[in-house]
Amino acid sequence: MRLFLLSLLICCWSVALKAQTRWDNKNYKTTTHQNFRNQAIFQQKLDKNLDLGLLNATLFFLTNEFRAKNRKAIVEYQVNLEILAWNHALKMGQLNFFGHENTADSKRKKIENRAELAGITNPFLGENLAYIVNEKADSYLSICEKFISQIKANKEQQTLLLSDDAVQMACGVYFSQNKWYVVQIFQSFEEVKSKAATDKLPN
């Protein structure tokens, strides 16, 4: 009996430990641009079983960190914006294109079309993109630092990155065939108003 209880305890502990290595969107409420670098989850090594939600979150906090360093107000996370960003990154990877328009699917051609699928009813949106091929990195943090470096190196994209009008934001990252597809979405002027989304978040 004691052996059974000990085995059960070890099993439960292992499950809990594993769970701590996966991103939960509830953590957006407690994690900030000021404390995320101190959390082991962002230092995890990249492997074939990518935690796409963690990639999205890492880039989100790096974005707010960059804004804070430039004396800009931080922006809030918004789930429909993540749905929007991630599904565009996904489609770029699946259809092998890179750009703000999806010419292969009229329902997703423009950001306003994709916003509808993401459940956003008042889109005041701006979009930044990054695309990296055959880039090696050790951790979730290190690869996302490469993403933010590419985004802010583009003058037009840095303008959006540091916009005073931005109030909410989220990111989407997809990896396919040694290619990283990265999307940042900013909502300006007012907070997102939403309805049920057709598209979904990454698993």
Side-chain angles (χ1 to χ4, degrees), residues 1-13:
M1 183 67 178
R2 287 183 179 179
L3 182 59
F4 171 76
L5 291 174
L6 180 60
S7 299
L8 183 62
L9 180 62
I10 291 173
C11 180
C12 292
W13 177 81

Side-chain angles (χ1 to χ4, degrees), residues 87-88 91-92 94-95 97 100-114 117 199:
N87 279 278
H88 189 49
K91 292 302 179 181
M92 285 195 292
Q94 290 178 336
L95 299 174
F97 76 96
H100 294 286
E101 291 193 356
N102 182 347
T103 58
D105 186 346
S106 61
K107 294 181 180 179
R108 299 178 180 274
K109 183 176 182 180
K110 296 183 179 296
I111 193 170
E112 292 79 11
N113 304 132
R114 302 192 298 272
L117 295 172
D199 283 342

Side-chain angles (χ1 to χ4, degrees), residues 2 6 46 54 97 110 126 129 149 154 164 170 183 187 194 201:
R2 287 183 179 179
L6 180 60
L46 295 167
L54 180 55
F97 76 96
K110 296 183 179 296
L129 304 178
S149 292
N154 180 295
D164 290 322
V183 182
Q187 168 79 351
S194 63
L201 289 171

